[in-house]
């Protein structure tokens, strides 16, 4: 029970999920892995993501994780089932908040911002078929956005230009609820909201994932036993990752380098 919960993403987008996890479960320890060498996952072939997901699950298990959170919509869309079949750890995955959006919309138009990989996945199609048949779903792929948020920062000129290209069409389509379907996008929530009418609601799934993780830990008898510790690791250049963590997370934390070939 005193083991950490392993959390991973292609980079540091999953820190937006980690923030919600730590708020809800302050007495758990967390071990976060940023697969920075392969950022962005959104541009990687599906087979690669499935193999990589299994390797990351193994690495987190080898470092003592008692459960696994896939804090990446793209990895979930493509590899969640493979990872679940591969690991003995309980796995919590996340997906774009299409279901709550379809309930919340007043005018019947919802926007979804996500990677192209996520939007093209059969899992996303299923989500829309099951929960959003009665509404219009405007799905907007956002190539380059997750990477630009990490590399240049959420208020950089590069991110502003991408937001013009990806968010303004949702405003034009009249979406009154917009789903942040990639864990990097909450870092740019202010810039996204600025391009939409004031009353537009943004949906971020961090809190829902935290509630689900709590339920899963409880039913597996794994809840509690930590002390709120946080460890970080990355497959990328750690000095640079530490800088990005300081900028996004607001705290300077050491990042261990993980490489398994
Ligand atoms: N943060 C990720 C997601 O939720 C992945 C972005 C990427 O690496 O392309 O989809």
């Amino acid at each position: 029970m005193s083991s950490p919960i392993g959390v991973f993403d292609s980079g540091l987008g999953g820190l937006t999920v980690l923030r919600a996890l730590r708020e809800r479960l302050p007495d758990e320890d967390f071990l976060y892995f940023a697969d920075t060498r392969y950022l962005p996952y959104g541009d990687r072939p599906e087979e690669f993501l499935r193999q990589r997901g299994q390797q990351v699950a193994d690495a987190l298990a080898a470092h003592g994780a008692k459960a696994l959170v896939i804090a990446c919509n793209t990895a979930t869309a493509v590899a969640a089932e493979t990872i679940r079949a591969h690991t003995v750890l309980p796995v919590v995955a996340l997906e774009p908040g299409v279901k709550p959006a379809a309930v919340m919309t007043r005018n019947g138009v919802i926007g979804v911002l996500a990677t192209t990989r996520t939007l093209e996945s059969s899992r996303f199609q299923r989500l829309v078929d099951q929960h959003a048949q009665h509404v219009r779903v405007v799905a907007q792929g956002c190539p380059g956005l997750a990477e630009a948020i990490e590399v240049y920062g959420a208020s950089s000129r590069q991110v502003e230009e991408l937001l013009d290209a990806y968010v303004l069409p949702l405003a034009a389509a009249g979406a009154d609820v917009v789903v942040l379907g990639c864990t990097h996008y909450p870092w740019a929530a202010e810039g996204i909201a600025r391009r939409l009418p004031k009353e537009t609601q943004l949906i971020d799934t961090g809190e829902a994932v935290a509630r689900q993780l709590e339920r899963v830990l409880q039913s597996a008898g794994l809840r509690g036993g930590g002390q709120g510790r946080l460890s970080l690791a990355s497959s990328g250049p750690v000095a640079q990752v530490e800088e990005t963590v300081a900028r996004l997370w607001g705290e300077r934390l050491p990042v261990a380098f993980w490489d398994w070939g």
Side-chain angles (χ1 to χ4, degrees):
M1 270 181 29
S2 62
S3 310
I5 293 153
V7 181
F8 84 95
D9 178 36
S10 57
L12 299 170
L15 292 181
T16 63
V17 177
L18 182 68
R19 195 169 48 188
L21 302 181
R22 292 185 89 215
E23 249 163 53
R24 184 155 193 110
L25 305 166
D27 56 343
E28 297 287 353
D29 294 339
F30 289 91
L31 169 56
Y32 182 93
F33 176 67
D35 202 5
T36 316
R37 187 192 303 167
Y38 296 109
L39 174 81
Y41 274 1
D43 290 352
R44 305 272 164 201
E46 296 199 355
E47 193 41 42
F48 171 85
L49 292 179
R50 283 192 277 271
Q51 275 177 20
R52 191 70 187 162
Q54 295 176 66
Q55 291 171 357
V56 173
D58 287 345
L60 287 164
H63 283 82
K66 65 179 176 182
L68 188 63
V69 177
I70 307 176
C72 175
N73 291 271
T74 310
T76 297
V78 176
E81 280 155 33
T82 308
I83 295 171
R84 276 187 212 282
H86 173 76
T87 183
V88 295
L89 299 180
V91 176
V92 172
L94 83 174
E95 56 195 2
V98 168
K99 188 177 170 186
V103 173
M104 283 161 70
T105 180
R106 297 220 185 121
N107 68 2
V109 184
I110 68 171
V112 183
L113 298 167
T115 66
T116 312
R117 268 268 163 280
T118 297
L119 298 177
E120 284 174 357
S121 68
S122 51
R123 196 174 165 121
F124 181 75
Q125 194 49 52
R126 252 195 333 267
L127 193 64
V128 171
D129 290 347
Q130 279 171 4
H131 303 291
Q133 287 284 11
H134 59 293
V135 301
R136 180 170 165 231
V137 179
V138 185
Q140 175 67 58
C142 306
L145 182 55
E147 207 179 359
I149 289 170
E150 280 210 21
V151 177
Y152 305 112
S155 45
S156 62
R157 182 182 50 78
Q158 290 86 342
V159 169
E160 292 286 333
E161 281 173 13
L162 290 172
L163 292 182
D164 279 345
Y166 301 146
V167 181
L168 295 179
L170 299 184
D176 67 347
V177 183
V178 170
V179 176
L180 304 181
C182 166
T183 55
H184 280 78
Y185 304 166
W187 296 122
E190 194 273 323
I192 293 171
R194 205 172 349 107
R195 286 169 173 81
L196 295 163
K198 249 204 194 69
E199 56 290 351
T200 313
Q201 308 209 49
L202 297 187
I203 298 197
D204 156 7
T205 33
E207 266 179 49
V209 176
R211 285 195 300 275
Q212 175 65 4
L213 174 62
E214 187 173 32
R215 279 192 292 269
V216 166
L217 291 175
Q218 256 152 9
S219 70
L222 292 170
R223 176 74 187 93
Q227 294 176 353
R229 280 182 293 238
L230 172 58
S231 313
L232 303 178
S234 172
S235 57
V238 286
Q240 203 177 305
V241 176
E242 282 173 356
E243 288 303 317
T244 314
V245 168
R247 168 160 47 79
L248 293 172
W249 191 252
E251 203 182 327
R252 191 158 281 283
L253 297 168
V255 176
F257 178 61
W258 283 9
D259 185 15
W260 54 85

Coordinates of all heavy atoms in Angstrom, one line a residue, residues 144-228:
G144 N 0.8 19.5 -33.5 CA 1.8 20.4 -33.1 C 1.5 21.2 -31.8 O 2.4 21.8 -31.1
L145 N 0.3 21.1 -31.3 CA -0.1 22.0 -30.1 C 0.5 21.5 -28.8 O 1.1 22.3 -28.1 CB -1.6 22.1 -30.0 CG -2.1 23.0 -28.9 CD1 -1.5 24.4 -29.0 CD2 -3.7 23.0 -28.9
A146 N 0.5 20.2 -28.6 CA 1.0 19.6 -27.3 C 2.5 20.0 -27.2 O 3.0 20.4 -26.2 CB 0.8 18.1 -27.2
E147 N 3.2 19.7 -28.3 CA 4.6 19.9 -28.4 C 5.0 21.4 -28.2 O 5.9 21.8 -27.4 CB 5.1 19.5 -29.7 CG 6.6 19.0 -29.7 CD 6.9 18.6 -31.1 OE1 6.1 18.6 -32.0 OE2 8.1 18.2 -31.3
A148 N 4.2 22.3 -28.8 CA 4.5 23.7 -28.8 C 4.3 24.2 -27.3 O 5.0 25.1 -26.8 CB 3.6 24.5 -29.7
I149 N 3.3 23.7 -26.6 CA 3.0 24.1 -25.2 C 4.2 23.8 -24.4 O 4.7 24.6 -23.6 CB 1.7 23.4 -24.7 CG1 0.5 24.0 -25.4 CG2 1.7 23.6 -23.2 CD1 -0.8 23.2 -25.1
E150 N 4.8 22.6 -24.6 CA 6.0 22.2 -23.8 C 7.2 23.0 -24.2 O 7.9 23.5 -23.3 CB 6.3 20.7 -24.0 CG 5.4 19.8 -23.2 CD 6.1 18.5 -22.7 OE1 7.3 18.4 -22.7 OE2 5.3 17.6 -22.4
V151 N 7.5 23.1 -25.5 CA 8.7 23.6 -25.9 C 8.7 25.2 -25.8 O 9.7 25.7 -25.3 CB 9.0 23.2 -27.4 CG1 10.3 23.9 -27.9 CG2 9.1 21.7 -27.5
Y152 N 7.7 25.8 -26.2 CA 7.7 27.3 -26.2 C 6.9 27.9 -25.1 O 7.0 29.1 -24.8 CB 7.1 27.8 -27.5 CG 7.8 27.2 -28.7 CD1 7.2 26.4 -29.6 CD2 9.1 27.6 -29.0 CE1 7.8 25.8 -30.7 CE2 9.8 27.1 -30.1 CZ 9.1 26.2 -31.0 OH 9.8 25.7 -32.1
G153 N 6.0 27.2 -24.4 CA 5.2 27.8 -23.3 C 3.8 28.1 -23.8 O 3.6 28.4 -25.0
A154 N 2.9 28.1 -22.9 CA 1.4 28.2 -23.2 C 1.1 29.6 -23.8 O 0.2 29.8 -24.6 CB 0.6 27.9 -22.0
S155 N 1.9 30.6 -23.4 CA 1.5 32.0 -23.9 C 2.5 32.4 -25.0 O 2.6 33.6 -25.3 CB 1.4 33.0 -22.8 OG 2.5 32.8 -22.0
S156 N 3.2 31.5 -25.7 CA 4.2 31.8 -26.7 C 3.4 32.2 -28.0 O 2.2 31.8 -28.2 CB 5.1 30.6 -27.0 OG 4.3 29.5 -27.4
R157 N 4.1 32.9 -28.9 CA 3.5 33.2 -30.2 C 3.1 32.0 -31.0 O 2.1 31.9 -31.6 CB 4.6 34.0 -31.0 CG 4.1 34.5 -32.4 CD 5.2 35.3 -33.1 NE 6.5 34.6 -33.1 CZ 6.8 33.5 -34.0 NH1 5.8 33.1 -34.8 NH2 7.9 32.9 -33.9
Q158 N 4.0 30.9 -30.9 CA 3.7 29.7 -31.6 C 2.4 29.1 -31.2 O 1.6 28.6 -32.0 CB 4.9 28.7 -31.4 CG 6.2 29.0 -32.0 CD 7.0 29.9 -31.2 OE1 6.6 30.6 -30.2 NE2 8.3 30.0 -31.5
V159 N 2.2 29.0 -29.8 CA 0.9 28.5 -29.3 C -0.3 29.3 -29.7 O -1.3 28.9 -30.1 CB 1.0 28.2 -27.8 CG1 -0.4 27.9 -27.2 CG2 2.0 27.1 -27.5
E160 N -0.1 30.7 -29.6 CA -1.2 31.6 -29.9 C -1.6 31.3 -31.4 O -2.8 31.3 -31.7 CB -0.7 33.0 -29.8 CG -0.5 33.5 -28.3 CD -1.8 33.7 -27.5 OE1 -2.8 34.0 -28.1 OE2 -1.7 33.5 -26.3
E161 N -0.6 31.2 -32.3 CA -1.0 30.9 -33.7 C -1.8 29.6 -33.9 O -2.7 29.6 -34.7 CB 0.3 30.9 -34.6 CG 0.8 32.4 -34.8 CD 2.1 32.4 -35.5 OE1 2.6 31.3 -36.1 OE2 2.7 33.5 -35.6
L162 N -1.3 28.6 -33.2 CA -2.0 27.3 -33.3 C -3.4 27.4 -32.8 O -4.3 26.8 -33.3 CB -1.2 26.2 -32.6 CG 0.1 25.8 -33.3 CD1 1.0 24.9 -32.4 CD2 -0.1 25.2 -34.7
L163 N -3.5 28.1 -31.6 CA -4.9 28.3 -31.0 C -5.8 29.0 -32.0 O -7.0 28.7 -32.1 CB -4.8 29.0 -29.7 CG -4.1 28.2 -28.6 CD1 -4.1 29.0 -27.3 CD2 -4.7 26.8 -28.3
D164 N -5.3 30.0 -32.7 CA -6.1 30.7 -33.7 C -6.6 29.7 -34.7 O -7.8 29.6 -35.1 CB -5.3 31.7 -34.5 CG -5.2 33.0 -33.7 OD1 -5.9 33.2 -32.7 OD2 -4.3 33.9 -34.1
A165 N -5.7 28.8 -35.2 CA -6.1 27.8 -36.2 C -7.1 26.8 -35.7 O -7.9 26.3 -36.5 CB -4.8 27.2 -36.8
Y166 N -7.0 26.4 -34.5 CA -7.7 25.2 -34.0 C -9.0 25.6 -33.2 O -10.0 24.9 -33.2 CB -6.9 24.3 -33.1 CG -5.7 23.8 -33.8 CD1 -4.4 23.6 -33.1 CD2 -5.7 23.5 -35.2 CE1 -3.3 23.0 -33.8 CE2 -4.6 23.0 -35.8 CZ -3.4 22.7 -35.1 OH -2.3 22.2 -35.8
V167 N -8.9 26.8 -32.5 CA -10.0 27.1 -31.6 C -11.1 28.0 -32.3 O -12.3 27.8 -32.1 CB -9.5 27.8 -30.3 CG1 -10.7 28.1 -29.3 CG2 -8.5 26.9 -29.6
L168 N -10.6 28.9 -33.1 CA -11.6 29.8 -33.8 C -12.6 29.1 -34.6 O -13.8 29.4 -34.6 CB -10.8 30.9 -34.6 CG -9.9 31.8 -33.8 CD1 -9.2 32.8 -34.7 CD2 -10.8 32.6 -32.7
P169 N -12.3 28.0 -35.3 CA -13.3 27.2 -36.0 C -14.4 26.7 -35.1 O -15.6 26.5 -35.5 CB -12.5 26.1 -36.7 CG -11.1 26.6 -36.8 CD -10.9 27.4 -35.6
L170 N -14.0 26.3 -33.8 CA -15.1 25.8 -32.9 C -16.0 27.0 -32.5 O -17.2 26.8 -32.3 CB -14.4 25.3 -31.6 CG -13.5 24.1 -31.8 CD1 -13.0 23.5 -30.5 CD2 -14.2 22.9 -32.6
A171 N -15.4 28.2 -32.3 CA -16.3 29.3 -32.0 C -17.2 29.6 -33.2 O -18.4 29.8 -33.0 CB -15.4 30.6 -31.8
A172 N -16.7 29.5 -34.4 CA -17.5 29.7 -35.6 C -18.6 28.7 -35.7 O -19.7 29.0 -36.2 CB -16.6 29.7 -36.9
A173 N -18.3 27.5 -35.3 CA -19.3 26.4 -35.4 C -20.4 26.5 -34.3 O -21.4 25.8 -34.3 CB -18.6 25.0 -35.3
G174 N -20.1 27.4 -33.3 CA -21.1 27.7 -32.3 C -21.1 26.7 -31.1 O -22.1 26.6 -30.4
A175 N -20.0 26.0 -30.9 CA -19.9 25.0 -29.8 C -20.0 25.8 -28.5 O -19.4 26.8 -28.2 CB -18.5 24.3 -29.8
D176 N -20.9 25.3 -27.6 CA -21.1 26.0 -26.3 C -20.4 25.2 -25.2 O -20.3 25.6 -24.0 CB -22.5 26.3 -25.9 CG -23.4 25.0 -25.7 OD1 -22.9 23.9 -26.1 OD2 -24.5 25.1 -25.2
V177 N -19.9 24.0 -25.5 CA -19.0 23.2 -24.6 C -17.8 22.7 -25.4 O -18.0 22.2 -26.6 CB -19.7 22.0 -24.0 CG1 -18.9 21.3 -23.0 CG2 -21.1 22.4 -23.4
V178 N -16.6 22.9 -24.9 CA -15.4 22.5 -25.6 C -14.6 21.5 -24.7 O -14.3 21.8 -23.6 CB -14.5 23.7 -26.0 CG1 -13.2 23.2 -26.5 CG2 -15.3 24.5 -27.1
V179 N -14.4 20.3 -25.2 CA -13.6 19.3 -24.5 C -12.1 19.4 -24.7 O -11.7 19.5 -25.9 CB -14.1 17.9 -25.0 CG1 -13.3 16.8 -24.3 CG2 -15.6 17.7 -24.8
L180 N -11.4 19.5 -23.6 CA -9.9 19.5 -23.8 C -9.5 18.0 -23.8 O -9.3 17.4 -22.8 CB -9.3 20.2 -22.6 CG -9.8 21.7 -22.4 CD1 -9.1 22.4 -21.2 CD2 -9.6 22.5 -23.7
G181 N -9.4 17.5 -25.0 CA -9.2 16.1 -25.2 C -7.7 15.6 -25.3 O -7.4 14.6 -25.8
C182 N -6.9 16.4 -24.7 CA -5.4 16.1 -24.6 C -5.0 16.7 -23.3 O -5.3 17.9 -23.0 CB -4.7 16.7 -25.8 SG -2.9 16.7 -25.6
T183 N -4.2 16.0 -22.6 CA -3.8 16.4 -21.2 C -2.9 17.6 -21.2 O -2.7 18.3 -20.2 CB -3.3 15.3 -20.4 OG1 -2.1 14.7 -21.1 CG2 -4.3 14.2 -20.1
H184 N -2.3 17.9 -22.4 CA -1.5 19.2 -22.5 C -2.4 20.4 -22.5 O -1.9 21.5 -22.2 CB -0.6 19.1 -23.7 CG 0.6 18.3 -23.6 ND1 0.6 16.9 -23.7 CD2 1.9 18.7 -23.4 CE1 1.8 16.5 -23.6 NE2 2.6 17.5 -23.4
Y185 N -3.6 20.3 -23.0 CA -4.3 21.5 -23.4 C -4.8 22.4 -22.2 O -4.9 23.6 -22.3 CB -5.5 21.2 -24.3 CG -5.1 20.5 -25.6 CD1 -6.1 19.9 -26.4 CD2 -3.8 20.5 -26.0 CE1 -5.7 19.3 -27.6 CE2 -3.4 19.8 -27.2 CZ -4.4 19.2 -28.0 OH -4.0 18.6 -29.1
P186 N -5.0 21.7 -21.0 CA -5.4 22.6 -19.8 C -4.3 23.7 -19.5 O -4.6 24.7 -19.0 CB -5.5 21.6 -18.7 CG -6.0 20.3 -19.4 CD -5.2 20.3 -20.7
W187 N -3.0 23.4 -19.9 CA -2.0 24.4 -19.7 C -2.3 25.6 -20.5 O -1.9 26.8 -20.2 CB -0.6 23.9 -20.1 CG -0.1 22.8 -19.3 CD1 0.3 21.6 -19.7 CD2 0.2 22.7 -17.9 NE1 0.8 20.8 -18.7 CE2 0.7 21.5 -17.5 CE3 0.0 23.7 -16.8 CZ2 1.1 21.1 -16.2 CZ3 0.4 23.3 -15.5 CH2 0.9 22.1 -15.3
A188 N -3.0 25.5 -21.6 CA -3.4 26.6 -22.5 C -4.8 27.0 -22.4 O -5.4 27.7 -23.3 CB -3.1 26.2 -24.0
A189 N -5.5 26.6 -21.3 CA -6.9 26.9 -21.1 C -7.3 28.4 -21.2 O -8.3 28.7 -21.8 CB -7.4 26.3 -19.8
E190 N -6.4 29.2 -20.7 CA -6.7 30.7 -20.8 C -6.8 31.1 -22.2 O -7.7 31.8 -22.6 CB -5.6 31.4 -20.0 CG -5.9 32.8 -19.6 CD -5.5 33.8 -20.7 OE1 -4.4 33.6 -21.3 OE2 -6.2 34.7 -20.9
G191 N -5.8 30.7 -23.0 CA -5.8 31.1 -24.4 C -6.9 30.5 -25.2 O -7.5 31.1 -26.2
I192 N -7.3 29.3 -24.8 CA -8.5 28.7 -25.5 C -9.7 29.4 -25.2 O -10.5 29.8 -26.1 CB -8.5 27.2 -25.1 CG1 -7.3 26.4 -25.6 CG2 -9.8 26.5 -25.6 CD1 -7.1 25.0 -25.1
A193 N -9.9 29.7 -23.9 CA -11.2 30.4 -23.4 C -11.3 31.8 -24.1 O -12.4 32.2 -24.4 CB -11.2 30.5 -21.9
R194 N -10.2 32.4 -24.2 CA -10.2 33.8 -24.8 C -10.7 33.8 -26.2 O -11.1 34.8 -26.7 CB -8.7 34.3 -24.8 CG -8.6 35.8 -24.7 CD -7.2 36.4 -24.5 NE -6.2 35.5 -24.1 CZ -5.2 35.1 -24.9 NH1 -5.1 35.5 -26.2 NH2 -4.2 34.3 -24.4
R195 N -10.6 32.7 -26.9 CA -11.0 32.7 -28.3 C -12.5 32.2 -28.5 O -13.0 32.0 -29.6 CB -10.1 31.7 -29.1 CG -8.8 32.4 -29.4 CD -7.8 31.4 -29.9 NE -6.5 32.2 -30.2 CZ -5.6 32.5 -29.4 NH1 -5.7 32.3 -28.1 NH2 -4.5 33.2 -29.8
L196 N -13.1 31.9 -27.3 CA -14.5 31.4 -27.4 C -15.4 32.4 -26.7 O -15.0 33.1 -25.8 CB -14.6 30.0 -26.7 CG -13.8 28.9 -27.3 CD1 -13.5 27.8 -26.3 CD2 -14.5 28.4 -28.6
P197 N -16.7 32.4 -27.0 CA -17.6 33.2 -26.2 C -17.6 33.0 -24.7 O -17.3 31.8 -24.4 CB -19.0 32.8 -26.8 CG -18.8 32.2 -28.1 CD -17.4 31.6 -28.0
K198 N -17.8 34.0 -23.9 CA -17.6 33.9 -22.5 C -18.3 32.7 -21.8 O -17.7 32.1 -20.9 CB -18.1 35.2 -21.9 CG -17.1 36.1 -21.3 CD -17.7 37.0 -20.2 CE -16.7 38.1 -19.9 NZ -16.6 39.1 -21.0
E199 N -19.5 32.4 -22.3 CA -20.3 31.4 -21.6 C -19.9 30.0 -22.0 O -20.4 29.0 -21.4 CB -21.8 31.7 -21.8 CG -22.3 31.8 -23.2 CD -21.9 33.0 -24.0 OE1 -21.3 34.0 -23.4 OE2 -22.1 33.0 -25.2
T200 N -18.9 29.8 -22.9 CA -18.5 28.5 -23.3 C -17.9 27.7 -22.1 O -17.0 28.3 -21.4 CB -17.5 28.6 -24.4 OG1 -17.9 29.5 -25.4 CG2 -17.2 27.2 -25.1
Q201 N -18.3 26.5 -22.0 CA -17.7 25.7 -20.9 C -16.5 24.8 -21.4 O -16.7 24.2 -22.5 CB -18.7 24.8 -20.3 CG -20.0 25.6 -19.9 CD -20.7 24.9 -18.7 OE1 -20.1 24.6 -17.7 NE2 -22.0 24.7 -18.9
L202 N -15.4 24.8 -20.7 CA -14.3 23.9 -21.0 C -14.3 22.6 -20.1 O -14.5 22.8 -18.9 CB -13.0 24.6 -20.8 CG -12.7 25.9 -21.7 CD1 -11.3 26.3 -21.5 CD2 -13.0 25.6 -23.2
I203 N -14.1 21.5 -20.7 CA -14.1 20.3 -19.9 C -12.8 19.6 -19.9 O -12.2 19.3 -20.9 CB -15.2 19.2 -20.5 CG1 -16.5 19.9 -20.4 CG2 -15.1 17.9 -19.7 CD1 -17.7 18.9 -20.6
D204 N -12.3 19.4 -18.7 CA -11.0 18.8 -18.4 C -11.3 17.6 -17.6 O -12.1 17.7 -16.6 CB -10.2 19.9 -17.8 CG -9.0 19.4 -16.9 OD1 -8.7 18.2 -16.9 OD2 -8.4 20.2 -16.3
T205 N -10.7 16.4 -17.9 CA -11.1 15.2 -17.2 C -10.3 14.8 -16.0 O -10.5 13.8 -15.4 CB -11.1 14.0 -18.2 OG1 -10.0 14.2 -19.1 CG2 -12.4 13.9 -18.9
G206 N -9.4 15.7 -15.5 CA -8.5 15.4 -14.4 C -9.3 14.9 -13.1 O -8.9 13.9 -12.6
E207 N -10.3 15.7 -12.8 CA -11.1 15.3 -11.6 C -11.8 14.0 -11.7 O -11.8 13.2 -10.7 CB -12.1 16.4 -11.3 CG -11.6 17.5 -10.3 CD -12.7 18.5 -10.1 OE1 -13.9 18.1 -9.9 OE2 -12.4 19.7 -10.3
A208 N -12.3 13.7 -12.8 CA -13.0 12.4 -13.0 C -12.0 11.3 -12.9 O -12.4 10.2 -12.4 CB -13.7 12.4 -14.4
V209 N -10.8 11.5 -13.5 CA -9.8 10.4 -13.4 C -9.4 10.2 -11.9 O -9.3 9.0 -11.5 CB -8.6 10.8 -14.2 CG1 -7.5 9.8 -14.0 CG2 -8.9 10.9 -15.7
A210 N -9.3 11.3 -11.2 CA -9.0 11.1 -9.7 C -10.0 10.3 -9.0 O -9.7 9.5 -8.2 CB -8.8 12.5 -9.1
R211 N -11.3 10.6 -9.3 CA -12.4 9.8 -8.6 C -12.3 8.4 -9.0 O -12.5 7.5 -8.2 CB -13.8 10.4 -9.0 CG -14.1 11.7 -8.3 CD -15.6 12.1 -8.4 NE -16.0 12.2 -9.8 CZ -16.0 13.3 -10.5 NH1 -15.5 14.4 -10.0 NH2 -16.4 13.3 -11.8
Q212 N -12.1 8.1 -10.3 CA -12.0 6.7 -10.7 C -10.8 6.0 -10.1 O -10.9 4.9 -9.7 CB -11.8 6.8 -12.3 CG -11.6 5.4 -12.9 CD -12.8 4.5 -12.8 OE1 -13.8 4.8 -12.2 NE2 -12.6 3.2 -13.2
L213 N -9.6 6.7 -10.0 CA -8.5 6.1 -9.4 C -8.8 5.8 -7.9 O -8.4 4.7 -7.4 CB -7.3 7.1 -9.4 CG -6.0 6.6 -8.7 CD1 -5.5 5.3 -9.3 CD2 -4.9 7.7 -8.7
E214 N -9.5 6.7 -7.2 CA -9.8 6.4 -5.8 C -10.7 5.1 -5.7 O -10.4 4.2 -4.9 CB -10.6 7.6 -5.2 CG -10.8 7.5 -3.8 CD -11.4 8.8 -3.2 OE1 -12.2 9.4 -3.9 OE2 -11.2 9.1 -2.0
R215 N -11.7 5.0 -6.6 CA -12.5 3.8 -6.6 C -11.7 2.5 -6.8 O -11.9 1.5 -6.2 CB -13.6 3.9 -7.7 CG -14.8 4.8 -7.3 CD -15.9 4.6 -8.3 NE -15.6 5.2 -9.6 CZ -15.9 6.4 -9.9 NH1 -16.5 7.2 -9.1 NH2 -15.6 6.8 -11.2
V216 N -10.8 2.6 -7.8 CA -10.0 1.4 -8.2 C -9.1 1.0 -7.1 O -9.0 -0.2 -6.8 CB -9.2 1.7 -9.5 CG1 -8.2 0.7 -9.8 CG2 -10.2 1.8 -10.7
L217 N -8.5 2.0 -6.4 CA -7.6 1.7 -5.3 C -8.3 1.0 -4.2 O -7.9 0.0 -3.6 CB -6.8 2.9 -4.8 CG -5.8 3.5 -5.8 CD1 -5.3 4.8 -5.2 CD2 -4.6 2.6 -6.1
Q218 N -9.5 1.6 -3.9 CA -10.3 1.1 -2.8 C -10.7 -0.3 -3.1 O -10.6 -1.2 -2.2 CB -11.5 2.0 -2.6 CG -11.3 2.8 -1.3 CD -12.1 4.1 -1.4 OE1 -13.0 4.3 -2.4 NE2 -11.9 5.0 -0.5
S219 N -11.2 -0.6 -4.3 CA -11.7 -1.9 -4.5 C -10.6 -3.0 -4.6 O -10.8 -4.1 -4.4 CB -12.6 -2.0 -5.7 OG -11.9 -1.8 -6.9
A220 N -9.4 -2.5 -4.9 CA -8.2 -3.4 -4.9 C -7.5 -3.5 -3.6 O -6.5 -4.2 -3.4 CB -7.2 -3.0 -6.0
G221 N -8.0 -2.8 -2.6 CA -7.4 -2.8 -1.3 C -6.1 -2.2 -1.2 O -5.2 -2.5 -0.4
L222 N -5.9 -1.2 -2.1 CA -4.6 -0.5 -2.3 C -4.6 0.9 -1.8 O -3.6 1.6 -2.0 CB -4.1 -0.6 -3.7 CG -3.8 -2.0 -4.3 CD1 -3.6 -1.9 -5.8 CD2 -2.5 -2.5 -3.6
R223 N -5.6 1.4 -1.3 CA -5.8 2.8 -1.0 C -5.0 3.2 0.3 O -5.0 2.6 1.3 CB -7.3 3.1 -0.8 CG -7.7 4.5 -0.4 CD -7.6 5.5 -1.5 NE -7.8 6.8 -0.9 CZ -6.8 7.6 -0.5 NH1 -5.6 7.3 -0.6 NH2 -7.1 8.8 0.0
G224 N -4.3 4.4 0.1 CA -3.6 5.0 1.3 C -2.2 4.4 1.5 O -1.7 3.6 0.7
G225 N -1.5 4.9 2.5 CA -0.2 4.4 2.9 C 0.9 5.2 2.4 O 2.1 4.9 2.8
G226 N 0.7 6.2 1.6 CA 1.8 7.1 1.2 C 1.9 8.4 2.0 O 1.2 8.5 3.1
Q227 N 2.7 9.3 1.6 CA 2.9 10.5 2.3 C 2.9 11.8 1.5 O 3.6 12.8 1.8 CB 4.3 10.5 3.1 CG 4.3 9.4 4.1 CD 5.7 9.2 4.7 OE1 6.7 9.9 4.3 NE2 5.8 8.4 5.8
G228 N 2.3 11.6 0.3 CA 2.2 12.8 -0.6 C 3.5 13.1 -1.3 O 3.8 14.2 -1.8

